[in-house]
Amino acid sequence: MARVLLFGRLADQAGWREREVEAESLAALRACLANDDAELAEALAGPGVQVAVDKTLVRGEAVLAAGVEVAFLPPMSGG
Amino acid sequence: MITLTEAPFEPGALLTAFCAGRDETGAVASFVGLARAEGGAASILELEAYPGFTESAIETFAVEAAERFGLQSWRIVHRVGKIAPGEAVVFVATASKHRRAAFEACDFLMDWLKSRAPFWKKEHGPAGARWIEPTAQDRTDAQRWD
């Protein structure tokens, strides 16, 4: 089970900010989210969206251990 | 040290505390960013951070900046959540032996904070809410240092 966090416009689009998802890889997690909301999954794979696993940025695929935190970060705006 | 806070802060008090007890610091430079009303178009600025991740990114960057400019110390306080026009959004202070390093490091930190720091910014106004991306000017300012 991974804890998924959405930030910025992604959270607005999804209508949620945090959700538990059963997935053992990032690809599986994306597929699981796409089943529920295809438009959201597309936005999560969109340009400039970064992924952090347990607060470390990752590129491409990642294996998800139980209880990890997966954050989808839209382009950062600065303060 | 970096602090994110949902509560309004008093920049003068932060500067006083930062200057206290220094007898080998020749220069302290500081910057305070305030939320603008944009002529009534912006009633509330909302800043979202990723707790833990955002502080750690700022800390890492500021430690590098301190090394690059030879700072003795630095302090950053940044608001998150909903911010009213006129309230302080960010406070940056830098301390060094001589003024040039303090000025430049403060400028450098602000350019990065304004363009690349992990925040997501939303402006609420009479016309609704919109997410704000960094401006071309913010990006150009940050690139001056690359």
Side-chain angles (χ1 to χ4, degrees):
Chain A
M1 198 73 96
R3 194 159 75 104
V4 181
L5 305 179
L6 303 183
F7 289 88
R9 61 175 163 81
L10 296 174
D12 278 6
Q13 182 184 337
W16 52 271
R17 318 190 71 78
E18 185 176 336
R19 175 174 289 183
E20 302 277 328
V21 175
E22 187 69 59
E24 288 174 1
S25 72
L26 203 47
L29 187 146
R30 287 181 187 275
C32 183
L33 292 174
N35 267 340
D36 210 41
D37 184 342
E39 279 179 26
L40 174 66
E42 200 172 309
L44 296 182
V49 175
Q50 294 180 287
V51 180
V53 174
D54 280 342
K55 298 193 170 70
T56 300
L57 292 175
V58 298
R59 283 174 191 276
E61 180 57 318
V63 174
L64 304 178
V68 293
E69 186 175 277
V70 179
F72 289 91
L73 314 172
M76 296 159 185
S77 71
Chain B
M1 182 169 76
I2 159 75
T3 306
L4 301 182
T5 171
E6 286 199 16
F9 62 82
E10 213 284 279
L14 292 172
L15 185 58
T16 300
F18 187 74
C19 289
R22 295 182 178 279
D23 53 9
E24 292 296 342
T25 294
V28 167
S30 68
F31 176 87
V32 181
L34 306 176
R36 284 190 306 266
E38 303 286 15
S43 51
I44 290 288
L45 179 69
E46 187 175 357
L47 277 176
E48 186 180 9
Y50 179 8
F53 179 88
T54 298
E55 292 96 322
S56 148
I58 294 173
E59 171 89 26
T60 301
F61 187 79
V63 166
E64 279 177 27
E67 203 161 298
R68 171 170 175 171
F69 293 94
L71 295 182
Q72 294 171 333
S73 60
W74 54 275
R75 177 86 173 101
I76 297 172
V77 178
H78 212 297
R79 283 284 296 279
V80 290
K82 292 187 167 147
I83 306 160
E87 289 183 356
V89 179
V90 58
F91 170 87
V92 175
T94 51
S96 58
K97 201 163 181 192
H98 302 290
R99 71 183 180 284
R100 189 63 54 207
F103 275 135
E104 288 188 349
C106 191
D107 198 13
F108 177 74
L109 287 169
M110 270 315 303
D111 281 345
W112 183 81
L113 284 168
K114 282 296 288 183
S115 61
R116 294 174 185 174
F119 291 102
W120 297 277
K121 182 158 47 178
K122 198 179 203 179
E123 198 175 83
H124 298 262
R130 64 186 191 106
W131 289 99
I132 314 266
E133 303 273 318
T135 65
Q137 184 65 55
D138 287 336
R139 289 207 184 89
T140 310
D141 285 346
Q143 281 161 6
R144 285 187 303 149
W145 307 93
D146 287 345

Short mmCIF file of all heavy atoms in Angstrom, two decimals, chain B residues 106-137:
data_model
loop_
_atom_site.label_atom_id
_atom_site.label_comp_id
_atom_site.label_asym_id
_atom_site.label_seq_id
_atom_site.Cartn_x
_atom_site.Cartn_y
_atom_site.Cartn_z
N CYS B 106 22.09 37.19 -0.58
CA CYS B 106 20.67 37.46 -0.31
C CYS B 106 19.90 37.53 -1.63
O CYS B 106 18.85 36.91 -1.80
CB CYS B 106 20.56 38.78 0.47
SG CYS B 106 18.94 39.09 1.14
N ASP B 107 20.46 38.23 -2.60
CA ASP B 107 19.89 38.36 -3.95
C ASP B 107 19.79 36.97 -4.62
O ASP B 107 18.75 36.60 -5.18
CB ASP B 107 20.84 39.28 -4.74
CG ASP B 107 20.21 39.86 -5.99
OD1 ASP B 107 18.98 39.78 -6.13
OD2 ASP B 107 20.96 40.41 -6.82
N PHE B 108 20.87 36.22 -4.52
CA PHE B 108 20.96 34.88 -5.09
C PHE B 108 19.89 33.95 -4.50
O PHE B 108 19.17 33.25 -5.21
CB PHE B 108 22.36 34.35 -4.80
CG PHE B 108 22.63 32.94 -5.24
CD1 PHE B 108 22.82 32.64 -6.58
CD2 PHE B 108 22.75 31.91 -4.31
CE1 PHE B 108 23.10 31.34 -7.00
CE2 PHE B 108 23.03 30.62 -4.71
CZ PHE B 108 23.20 30.32 -6.05
N LEU B 109 19.77 33.96 -3.18
CA LEU B 109 18.77 33.11 -2.51
C LEU B 109 17.36 33.50 -2.94
O LEU B 109 16.52 32.63 -3.21
CB LEU B 109 18.91 33.23 -0.98
CG LEU B 109 20.13 32.53 -0.38
CD1 LEU B 109 20.32 32.93 1.08
CD2 LEU B 109 19.96 31.01 -0.48
N MET B 110 17.09 34.80 -3.02
CA MET B 110 15.75 35.24 -3.41
C MET B 110 15.42 34.85 -4.84
O MET B 110 14.29 34.44 -5.12
CB MET B 110 15.62 36.77 -3.24
CG MET B 110 15.14 37.19 -1.88
SD MET B 110 13.73 36.24 -1.24
CE MET B 110 12.50 36.46 -2.52
N ASP B 111 16.38 34.99 -5.75
CA ASP B 111 16.11 34.62 -7.15
C ASP B 111 15.73 33.15 -7.25
O ASP B 111 14.83 32.76 -7.99
CB ASP B 111 17.35 34.90 -8.03
CG ASP B 111 17.44 36.38 -8.39
OD1 ASP B 111 16.46 37.11 -8.23
OD2 ASP B 111 18.52 36.80 -8.86
N TRP B 112 16.42 32.32 -6.47
CA TRP B 112 16.10 30.89 -6.49
C TRP B 112 14.75 30.62 -5.82
O TRP B 112 13.91 29.88 -6.34
CB TRP B 112 17.21 30.09 -5.80
CG TRP B 112 16.98 28.62 -5.87
CD1 TRP B 112 17.25 27.78 -6.91
CD2 TRP B 112 16.37 27.79 -4.86
NE1 TRP B 112 16.86 26.50 -6.60
CE2 TRP B 112 16.33 26.48 -5.36
CE3 TRP B 112 15.86 28.05 -3.57
CZ2 TRP B 112 15.80 25.42 -4.63
CZ3 TRP B 112 15.33 26.99 -2.84
CH2 TRP B 112 15.30 25.69 -3.38
N LEU B 113 14.54 31.24 -4.66
CA LEU B 113 13.27 31.02 -3.94
C LEU B 113 12.08 31.42 -4.80
O LEU B 113 11.04 30.76 -4.79
CB LEU B 113 13.25 31.82 -2.63
CG LEU B 113 14.09 31.26 -1.49
CD1 LEU B 113 14.22 32.29 -0.37
CD2 LEU B 113 13.46 29.98 -0.94
N LYS B 114 12.23 32.51 -5.57
CA LYS B 114 11.11 33.02 -6.38
C LYS B 114 10.84 32.18 -7.62
O LYS B 114 9.78 32.31 -8.23
CB LYS B 114 11.39 34.46 -6.82
CG LYS B 114 11.16 35.51 -5.77
CD LYS B 114 9.71 35.61 -5.33
CE LYS B 114 8.81 36.23 -6.39
NZ LYS B 114 7.42 36.35 -5.86
N SER B 115 11.82 31.41 -8.07
CA SER B 115 11.63 30.74 -9.35
C SER B 115 11.67 29.22 -9.28
O SER B 115 11.04 28.55 -10.08
CB SER B 115 12.70 31.22 -10.34
OG SER B 115 13.98 30.88 -9.86
N ARG B 116 12.43 28.68 -8.30
CA ARG B 116 12.67 27.23 -8.35
C ARG B 116 12.35 26.49 -7.06
O ARG B 116 12.44 25.26 -7.03
CB ARG B 116 14.14 26.98 -8.72
CG ARG B 116 14.46 27.43 -10.13
CD ARG B 116 15.93 27.33 -10.45
NE ARG B 116 16.23 27.87 -11.77
CZ ARG B 116 17.45 28.01 -12.27
NH1 ARG B 116 18.50 27.64 -11.56
NH2 ARG B 116 17.65 28.52 -13.45
N ALA B 117 12.02 27.21 -6.01
CA ALA B 117 11.76 26.51 -4.75
C ALA B 117 10.46 25.72 -4.85
O ALA B 117 9.53 26.12 -5.55
CB ALA B 117 11.69 27.52 -3.61
N PRO B 118 10.39 24.59 -4.14
CA PRO B 118 9.20 23.73 -4.23
C PRO B 118 7.98 24.31 -3.49
O PRO B 118 7.65 23.89 -2.37
CB PRO B 118 9.63 22.40 -3.62
CG PRO B 118 11.03 22.56 -3.18
CD PRO B 118 11.45 23.98 -3.35
N PHE B 119 7.36 25.28 -4.14
CA PHE B 119 6.08 25.81 -3.67
C PHE B 119 5.13 25.80 -4.86
O PHE B 119 5.56 25.86 -6.00
CB PHE B 119 6.21 27.27 -3.20
CG PHE B 119 7.01 27.45 -1.94
CD1 PHE B 119 8.32 27.90 -2.01
CD2 PHE B 119 6.45 27.21 -0.70
CE1 PHE B 119 9.07 28.08 -0.85
CE2 PHE B 119 7.19 27.40 0.47
CZ PHE B 119 8.50 27.83 0.39
N TRP B 120 3.84 25.78 -4.54
CA TRP B 120 2.80 25.91 -5.57
C TRP B 120 1.92 27.06 -5.13
O TRP B 120 1.43 27.08 -3.99
CB TRP B 120 2.03 24.60 -5.75
CG TRP B 120 2.97 23.55 -6.22
CD1 TRP B 120 3.35 23.32 -7.52
CD2 TRP B 120 3.72 22.63 -5.41
NE1 TRP B 120 4.29 22.32 -7.56
CE2 TRP B 120 4.52 21.87 -6.29
CE3 TRP B 120 3.78 22.37 -4.05
CZ2 TRP B 120 5.39 20.88 -5.83
CZ3 TRP B 120 4.64 21.39 -3.59
CH2 TRP B 120 5.43 20.65 -4.47
N LYS B 121 1.73 28.00 -6.05
CA LYS B 121 1.16 29.29 -5.69
C LYS B 121 -0.16 29.51 -6.39
O LYS B 121 -0.26 29.36 -7.60
CB LYS B 121 2.18 30.35 -6.10
CG LYS B 121 1.81 31.75 -5.77
CD LYS B 121 3.03 32.68 -5.71
CE LYS B 121 3.99 32.57 -6.86
NZ LYS B 121 5.10 33.52 -6.77
N LYS B 122 -1.15 29.92 -5.60
CA LYS B 122 -2.48 30.15 -6.16
C LYS B 122 -2.93 31.54 -5.74
O LYS B 122 -2.76 31.92 -4.59
CB LYS B 122 -3.44 29.11 -5.56
CG LYS B 122 -4.73 28.91 -6.30
CD LYS B 122 -5.52 27.85 -5.56
CE LYS B 122 -6.53 27.19 -6.47
NZ LYS B 122 -7.27 26.14 -5.75
N GLU B 123 -3.47 32.27 -6.69
CA GLU B 123 -3.96 33.62 -6.39
C GLU B 123 -5.48 33.58 -6.39
O GLU B 123 -6.09 33.14 -7.37
CB GLU B 123 -3.44 34.56 -7.49
CG GLU B 123 -3.47 36.02 -7.16
CD GLU B 123 -2.82 36.82 -8.28
OE1 GLU B 123 -3.51 37.10 -9.28
OE2 GLU B 123 -1.62 37.13 -8.17
N HIS B 124 -6.08 34.03 -5.27
CA HIS B 124 -7.54 34.10 -5.19
C HIS B 124 -7.95 35.55 -5.37
O HIS B 124 -7.45 36.43 -4.68
CB HIS B 124 -8.03 33.64 -3.81
CG HIS B 124 -7.70 32.21 -3.49
ND1 HIS B 124 -8.60 31.19 -3.65
CD2 HIS B 124 -6.56 31.64 -3.02
CE1 HIS B 124 -8.03 30.04 -3.28
NE2 HIS B 124 -6.79 30.29 -2.90
N GLY B 125 -8.86 35.82 -6.29
CA GLY B 125 -9.33 37.20 -6.49
C GLY B 125 -10.79 37.19 -6.85
O GLY B 125 -11.43 36.14 -6.87
N PRO B 126 -11.33 38.39 -7.15
CA PRO B 126 -12.76 38.49 -7.49
C PRO B 126 -13.10 37.65 -8.72
O PRO B 126 -14.22 37.17 -8.87
CB PRO B 126 -12.95 39.98 -7.81
CG PRO B 126 -11.74 40.69 -7.31
CD PRO B 126 -10.63 39.68 -7.20
N ALA B 127 -12.10 37.43 -9.61
CA ALA B 127 -12.37 36.67 -10.83
C ALA B 127 -12.18 35.17 -10.62
O ALA B 127 -12.16 34.40 -11.58
CB ALA B 127 -11.45 37.17 -11.95
N GLY B 128 -11.99 34.73 -9.36
CA GLY B 128 -11.77 33.31 -9.10
C GLY B 128 -10.33 33.05 -8.70
O GLY B 128 -9.59 33.98 -8.40
N ALA B 129 -9.94 31.77 -8.73
CA ALA B 129 -8.59 31.40 -8.29
C ALA B 129 -7.80 30.90 -9.49
O ALA B 129 -8.37 30.29 -10.40
CB ALA B 129 -8.67 30.33 -7.23
N ARG B 130 -6.50 31.19 -9.51
CA ARG B 130 -5.67 30.64 -10.58
C ARG B 130 -4.29 30.28 -10.04
O ARG B 130 -3.76 30.94 -9.15
CB ARG B 130 -5.53 31.62 -11.75
CG ARG B 130 -4.83 32.90 -11.38
CD ARG B 130 -4.85 33.91 -12.54
NE ARG B 130 -3.93 35.01 -12.21
CZ ARG B 130 -2.74 35.19 -12.76
NH1 ARG B 130 -2.29 34.36 -13.68
NH2 ARG B 130 -1.97 36.21 -12.41
N TRP B 131 -3.73 29.19 -10.58
CA TRP B 131 -2.38 28.78 -10.21
C TRP B 131 -1.39 29.64 -10.96
O TRP B 131 -1.57 29.92 -12.15
CB TRP B 131 -2.16 27.31 -10.55
CG TRP B 131 -2.94 26.41 -9.65
CD1 TRP B 131 -4.13 25.82 -9.93
CD2 TRP B 131 -2.61 26.04 -8.31
NE1 TRP B 131 -4.57 25.09 -8.85
CE2 TRP B 131 -3.65 25.21 -7.84
CE3 TRP B 131 -1.54 26.33 -7.45
CZ2 TRP B 131 -3.66 24.67 -6.55
CZ3 TRP B 131 -1.54 25.79 -6.18
CH2 TRP B 131 -2.58 24.97 -5.74
N ILE B 132 -0.33 30.05 -10.27
CA ILE B 132 0.67 30.95 -10.86
C ILE B 132 1.95 30.17 -11.13
O ILE B 132 2.41 29.43 -10.27
CB ILE B 132 1.04 32.07 -9.85
CG1 ILE B 132 -0.21 32.67 -9.23
CG2 ILE B 132 1.95 33.10 -10.49
CD1 ILE B 132 -0.73 33.86 -9.90
N GLU B 133 2.49 30.36 -12.31
CA GLU B 133 3.80 29.78 -12.64
C GLU B 133 4.84 30.89 -12.53
O GLU B 133 4.47 32.05 -12.57
CB GLU B 133 3.76 29.23 -14.08
CG GLU B 133 2.67 28.20 -14.31
CD GLU B 133 3.10 26.78 -13.97
OE1 GLU B 133 4.22 26.40 -14.31
OE2 GLU B 133 2.31 26.05 -13.36
N PRO B 134 6.14 30.56 -12.43
CA PRO B 134 7.13 31.63 -12.36
C PRO B 134 7.08 32.49 -13.63
O PRO B 134 6.80 31.97 -14.70
CB PRO B 134 8.48 30.90 -12.30
CG PRO B 134 8.17 29.47 -12.11
CD PRO B 134 6.73 29.23 -12.46
N THR B 135 7.32 33.78 -13.48
CA THR B 135 7.31 34.66 -14.66
C THR B 135 8.62 34.50 -15.42
O THR B 135 9.61 34.00 -14.90
CB THR B 135 7.17 36.13 -14.25
OG1 THR B 135 8.35 36.49 -13.52
CG2 THR B 135 5.94 36.36 -13.38
N ALA B 136 8.60 34.96 -16.68
CA ALA B 136 9.82 34.94 -17.49
C ALA B 136 10.91 35.74 -16.79
O ALA B 136 12.08 35.36 -16.79
CB ALA B 136 9.53 35.53 -18.87
N GLN B 137 10.51 36.84 -16.13
CA GLN B 137 11.48 37.68 -15.41
C GLN B 137 12.11 36.88 -14.26
O GLN B 137 13.32 36.95 -14.03
CB GLN B 137 10.79 38.94 -14.88
CG GLN B 137 11.74 39.92 -14.21
CD GLN B 137 12.77 40.50 -15.19
OE1 GLN B 137 12.38 41.05 -16.22
NE2 GLN B 137 14.06 40.35 -14.91
#
